[in-house]
C-alpha cells in the first residue's frame, strides 16, 4: 500500500486547462519550492526587487464600513482552476460579477487582475505559481501574500475558503501570527478536504488511526502536534466549518485524505473556536477529494456559512 502520486496528479488536474507558456518548468517549481521550505534558504528568494503587475479596477465605496474579503486558496498541485467554480458561484450568489485574482510566485512577485469590489465581502482568488509545494512552502506563500493584500486593500480580517493542503496552512499561519496586530486575521474559515493528520498511505494508513471518544486521534504526526501544542493561539472569535469526504469504500477516505485525518482537527480547534461545524459528504463521485471543490452541495454549504447566501 503506497501513496499513488501519479493517480493523485491525474485526479487533481483533471479539470485543469493547460496553458504551458504560463507554466513554470518542473525544475523551477521544485527548486524554488525547496528553497521556500527551509527558513535558512528563504532569504535567497528575496534577493531581487519585487515586481508587481497590476491591472486591477478598484470600485470606490459609497458607505463607510469594514471590508472583510473572502479569499479562496488551493492546495498541492492546484491552481486557479481548483477554486474557479466556487468563485464563479460566489459572484452569482453575491450578485457581483467582479473579483480580484492574485497570482504570486515564491520570489515575491505578484500579478493582480480583475476587480476589488466595493461591497462588504470582496472576493479574492489566490493562485500559487510554483504550485508543487508542501506545507512549509504554502506557509511561506501565506506569510507574504496576506500582509501584502491587507496593506494594499486596507483590511484587517478575512474569511478563508481553503482546499486540501491549504487548510492546515491557514491554521498554522493564524497561530504563528496570533500576536501580530499588523497581520490580517481570520474571521471565518471553511475547510474542504483538509489533511490535518496525514495523507493516505503517506503517514496515514486507512483504518489504522482512530479517534478516541473525546475526538483525539490515537496517532499524531508532527504537523498535527504543531497545531495541538499551539491550539490556544487560535482566536476564540473565529468560526470554523470543516467539510470532508467519504467515498464509501473500505478505506473510509475521499481517496486521498482519511475521515480520521480530516476530523482530527476538531480536537484542536473546537474548544477555542467561536463555533465549529462539521459536514461529511458521501458518495463515490460527490465525496472524491479533487471533485469536492466543484460539488454544488459543498459550495452551497460553504456560501451559507460565510454569509453570501441565505
Amino acid at each position: 500500500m503506497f501513496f499513488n502520486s501519479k493517480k493523485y496528479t491525474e485526479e487533481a488536474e483533471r479539470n485543469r486547462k493547460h496553458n504551458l507558456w504560463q507554466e513554470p518548468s518542473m525544475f523551477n517549481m521544485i527548486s524554488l519550492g525547496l528553497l521556500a521550505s527551509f527558513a535558512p534558504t528563504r532569504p535567497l528568494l528575496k534577493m531581487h526587487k519585487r515586481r508587481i503587475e497590476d491591472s486591477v479596477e478598484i470600485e470606490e465605496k459609497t458607505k463607510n464600513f469594514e471590508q472583510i474579503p473572502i479569499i479562496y486558496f488551493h492546495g498541492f498541485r492546484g491552481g486557479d482552476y481548483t477554486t474557479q467554480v466556487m468563485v464563479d458561484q460566489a459572484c452569482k450568489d453575491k450578485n457581483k460579477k467582479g473579483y480580484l485574482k492574485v497570482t504570486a510566485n515564491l520570489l515575491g512577485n505578484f500579478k493582480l487582475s480583475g476587480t476589488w469590489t466595493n461591497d462588504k465581502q470582496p472576493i479574492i482568488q489566490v493562485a500559487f505559481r510554483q504550485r508543487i509545494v508542501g506545507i512549509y512552502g504554502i506557509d511561506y506563500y501565506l506569510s507574504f501574500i496576506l500582509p501584502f493584500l491587507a496593506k494594499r486593500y486596507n483590511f484587517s480580517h478575512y474569511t478563508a475558503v481553503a482546499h486540501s493542503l491549504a487548510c492546515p496552512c491557514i491554521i498554522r499561519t493564524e497561530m504563528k501570527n496570533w500576536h501580530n496586530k499588523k497581520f490580517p486575521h481570520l474571521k471565518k474559515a471553511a475547510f474542504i478536504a483538509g489533511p490535518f493528520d496525514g495523507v493516505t498511505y503517506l503517514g496515514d494508513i486507512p483504518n489504522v488511526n482512530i479517534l478516541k471518544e473525546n475526538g483525539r486521534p490515537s496517532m499524531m504526526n508532527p504537523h498535527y502536534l504543531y497545531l495541538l501544542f499551539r491550539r490556544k493561539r487560535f482566536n476564540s472569535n473565529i468560526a470554523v466549518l470543516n467539510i470532508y469526504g467519504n467515498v464509501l469504500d473500505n478505506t473510509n477516505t475521499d481517496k486521498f485524505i482519511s475521515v480520521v485525518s480530516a476530523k482530527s482537527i476538531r480536537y484542536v480547534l473546537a474548544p477555542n473556536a467561536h463555533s465549529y461545524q462539521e459536514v461529511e459528504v458521501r458518495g463515490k463521485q460527490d465525496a472524491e477529494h479533487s471533485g469536492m471543490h466543484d460539488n454544488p452541495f459543498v459550495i452551497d454549504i460553504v456560501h451559507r456559512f460565510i454569509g453570501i447566501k441565505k
Side-chain angles (χ1 to χ4, degrees):
M1 296 188 296
F2 295 98
F3 178 66
N4 192 333
S5 59
K6 180 179 180 181
K7 184 178 179 182
Y8 180 87
T9 301
E10 293 172 351
E11 294 281 358
E13 303 194 8
R14 66 183 179 183
N15 296 322
R16 181 167 178 258
K17 295 180 179 179
H18 290 270
N19 201 342
L20 295 179
W21 68 270
Q22 290 185 340
E23 179 82 346
S25 68
M26 186 65 68
F27 175 78
N28 175 286
M29 288 193 284
I30 293 176
S31 59
L32 293 188
L34 288 173
L35 291 176
S37 297
F38 302 99
T41 56
R42 287 174 180 171
L44 297 175
L45 298 171
K46 303 177 182 178
M47 295 177 63
H48 74 102
K49 186 177 180 180
R50 172 177 283 176
R51 298 192 303 273
I52 302 173
E53 183 180 335
D54 189 347
S55 60
V56 175
E57 176 186 352
I58 299 179
E59 295 180 348
E60 186 176 350
K61 289 196 302 182
T62 57
K63 297 180 180 180
N64 186 23
F65 52 80
E66 180 186 7
Q67 290 185 296
I68 302 178
I70 302 166
I71 311 181
Y72 290 80
F73 301 94
H74 66 82
F76 177 75
R77 294 197 79 112
D80 53 3
Y81 60 92
T82 303
T83 58
Q84 195 62 56
V85 174
M86 289 191 290
V87 168
D88 290 343
Q89 186 59 49
C91 291
K92 292 179 181 178
D93 291 342
K94 286 178 54 184
N95 198 26
K96 275 275 190 181
K97 293 183 179 179
Y99 66 92
L100 175 66
K101 181 175 180 179
V102 178
T103 303
N105 67 19
L106 288 170
L107 297 174
N109 300 320
F110 287 89
K111 180 179 180 181
L112 309 173
S113 60
T115 305
W116 175 260
T117 57
N118 60 2
D119 58 304
K120 292 183 178 181
Q121 293 179 290
I123 293 172
I124 304 176
Q125 180 189 49
V126 171
F128 307 136
R129 187 161 169 77
Q130 283 80 26
R131 55 196 182 84
I132 302 180
V133 287
I135 196 166
Y136 298 117
I138 296 179
D139 278 358
Y140 180 67
Y141 266 124
L142 298 180
S143 72
F144 68 83
I145 290 176
L146 286 171
F148 170 83
L149 293 176
K151 182 177 180 180
R152 198 172 187 88
Y153 298 105
N154 192 30
F155 64 87
S156 58
H157 293 85
Y158 72 101
T159 293
V161 179
H163 178 256
S164 194
L165 194 59
C167 298
C169 294
I170 293 294
I171 301 171
R172 288 166 60 93
T173 297
E174 182 67 26
M175 290 178 173
K176 286 180 181 179
N177 295 281
W178 66 281
H179 63 292
N180 188 347
K181 295 181 179 180
K182 295 182 179 180
F183 201 93
H185 292 283
L186 279 172
K187 188 69 175 179
K188 293 183 177 181
F191 301 129
I192 304 171
F196 300 107
D197 192 18
V199 176
T200 306
Y201 302 128
L202 194 64
D204 181 25
I205 300 175
N207 301 317
V208 173
N209 200 2
I210 60 172
L211 297 177
K212 299 179 181 180
E213 290 185 5
N214 61 359
R216 183 186 179 105
S218 59
M219 294 185 292
M220 295 172 275
N221 68 16
H223 299 303
Y224 184 85
L225 289 172
Y226 178 94
L227 302 177
L228 180 62
F229 293 153
R230 292 162 179 80
R231 60 191 182 278
K232 291 185 179 179
R233 295 183 179 183
F234 196 76
N235 196 292
S236 60
N237 293 324
I238 303 171
V240 177
L241 170 66
N242 183 25
I243 302 178
Y244 57 93
N246 188 342
V247 295
L248 299 178
D249 61 9
N250 58 3
T251 64
N252 289 307
T253 70
D254 65 8
K255 290 188 179 179
F256 300 104
I257 308 300
S258 73
V259 169
V260 169
S261 179
K263 291 186 66 173
S264 65
I265 197 61
R266 181 186 187 97
Y267 184 76
V268 175
L269 299 185
N272 295 322
H274 176 72
S275 66
Y276 182 92
Q277 303 172 59
E278 280 184 349
V279 177
E280 180 176 279
V281 180
R282 297 180 177 181
K284 184 176 181 181
Q285 298 297 327
D286 292 340
E288 192 273 322
H289 182 79
S290 304
M292 285 181 65
H293 49 68
D294 292 348
N295 184 332
F297 174 70
V298 171
I299 296 173
D300 184 73
I301 293 173
V302 169
H303 289 175
R304 291 178 188 275
F305 169 74
I306 63 181
I308 61 174
K309 187 175 182 179
K310 296 182 180 179

